Amino acid sequence: MYKEQLNLTSLDAPLQLRLEASWVQFHLGISRQGLYSRSSPVVSQLLQDMRRFPTISAGESQAQKRGSLSLLPLTVVKPSGVHLKLVLRFSDFGKAMFKPMRQQRDEETPADFFYFIDFQRHNAEIAAFHLDRILDFRRVPPTVGRLVNVTKEILEVTKNEILQSVFFVSPASNVCFFAKCPYMCKTEYAVCGNPHLLEGSLSAFLPSLNLAPRLSVPNPWIRSYSLAGKEE
């Protein structure tokens, strides 16, 4: 199916799903006590695989899909968030949420900014994973940093026409893209490679709800996304 989608005519054998793949073993190791055990060797392997495996497809997150007018089907989606994120699938068929770098690490948020206007920092996702592991909660999916070639690893592998249409070359000759979503996904909020490489975080996906039904607990400390009101 993968070769057919890319219209490949090579006689090489198609990619095979391996049950020993790190993301499969990560899914099988999830329990009520945590997403992985303290002594699990799978997490280190999963982080390495997400950092080095080539991508075979890319798609917008569910939030960006809802913000667009098109109803093109997406097979890999994330049903939350207001900032630019992409779902990448790797050659071992594992999936990860890619959050691109939007601002420098030493760049501070102006005091007058509301928290929902501020860019979400990719390195905060990485720090959250490591802090969660140090505190022994083990409830944050494995997350790693990676330099992604936005041309070869996103634009050239995606079949999503909406995503293809938002790529452009900036006046500085860098390859950029933005996303279509209700809030901060406009051309002025585009992210750009240098000229093709873009730093970002990759967070491993959990099993689908069809395979692993689970209870979703609302955040009791959720905050309002309104300039006027506050959440109860």
Side-chain angles (χ1 to χ4, degrees):
M1 180 181 67
Y2 163 62
K3 291 176 65 176
E4 185 176 300
Q5 282 185 347
L6 294 186
N7 195 26
L8 299 180
T9 57
S10 170
L11 297 178
D12 295 338
L15 296 173
Q16 299 292 328
L17 172 63
R18 299 179 299 109
L19 295 182
E20 66 272 18
S22 58
W23 68 269
V24 177
Q25 295 303 312
F26 165 61
H27 285 181
L28 293 175
I30 295 174
S31 69
R32 287 178 175 269
Q33 286 69 44
L35 293 181
Y36 50 90
S37 65
R38 294 189 185 98
S39 58
S40 173
V42 173
V43 173
S44 295
Q45 185 61 52
L46 179 59
L47 295 176
Q48 290 182 31
D49 292 346
M50 289 194 296
R51 187 184 293 121
R52 65 185 178 89
F53 277 176
T55 60
I56 61 173
S57 69
E60 294 172 298
S61 76
Q62 181 68 34
Q64 287 146 208
K65 179 186 175 187
R66 287 197 301 266
S68 69
L69 297 178
S70 174
L71 296 179
L72 288 173
L74 290 177
T75 58
V76 283
V77 294
K78 176 76 167 69
S80 64
V82 296
H83 293 267
L84 193 158
K85 295 184 287 289
L86 295 176
V87 181
L88 303 184
R89 188 185 290 275
F90 304 112
S91 57
D92 68 343
F93 297 104
K95 291 189 299 184
M97 180 64 66
F98 176 66
K99 181 175 288 188
M101 182 176 185
R102 305 298 297 266
Q103 55 195 139
Q104 298 300 315
R105 287 171 173 77
D106 57 354
E107 186 176 342
E108 296 187 6
T109 301
D112 290 325
F113 272 31
F114 284 89
Y115 50 84
F116 52 84
I117 296 177
D118 189 19
F119 288 129
Q120 297 177 357
R121 298 174 186 257
H122 74 295
N123 52 323
E125 303 287 342
I126 302 171
F129 161 65
H130 290 288
L131 179 61
D132 171 82
R133 184 160 61 167
I134 291 171
L135 296 176
D136 200 33
F137 294 143
R138 291 170 283 120
R139 295 177 181 176
V140 175
T143 305
V144 69
R146 173 168 171 167
L147 281 173
V148 172
N149 187 312
V150 297
T151 301
K152 293 185 178 297
E153 297 182 283
I154 297 179
L155 177 60
E156 292 182 1
V157 300
T158 185
K159 291 299 178 182
N160 187 312
E161 295 179 5
I162 298 176
L163 183 55
Q164 292 172 344
S165 70
V166 295
F167 272 80
F168 63 96
V169 177
S170 74
S173 300
N174 294 321
V175 179
C176 307
F177 67 97
F178 61 98
K180 298 180 180 180
C181 72
Y183 300 101
M184 303 185 71
C185 299
K186 304 174 183 177
T187 52
E188 56 264 42
Y189 299 118
V191 294
C192 301
N194 184 27
H196 300 278
L197 293 180
L198 175 63
E199 183 179 331
S201 65
L202 288 167
S203 300
F205 261 66
L206 298 179
S208 70
L209 290 174
N210 293 333
L211 296 176
R214 53 192 177 268
L215 177 66
S216 179
V217 181
N219 181 3
W221 296 282
I222 190 171
R223 296 185 291 183
S224 168
Y225 278 67
S226 166
L227 297 176
K230 291 187 176 182
E231 199 75 23
E232 290 290 341

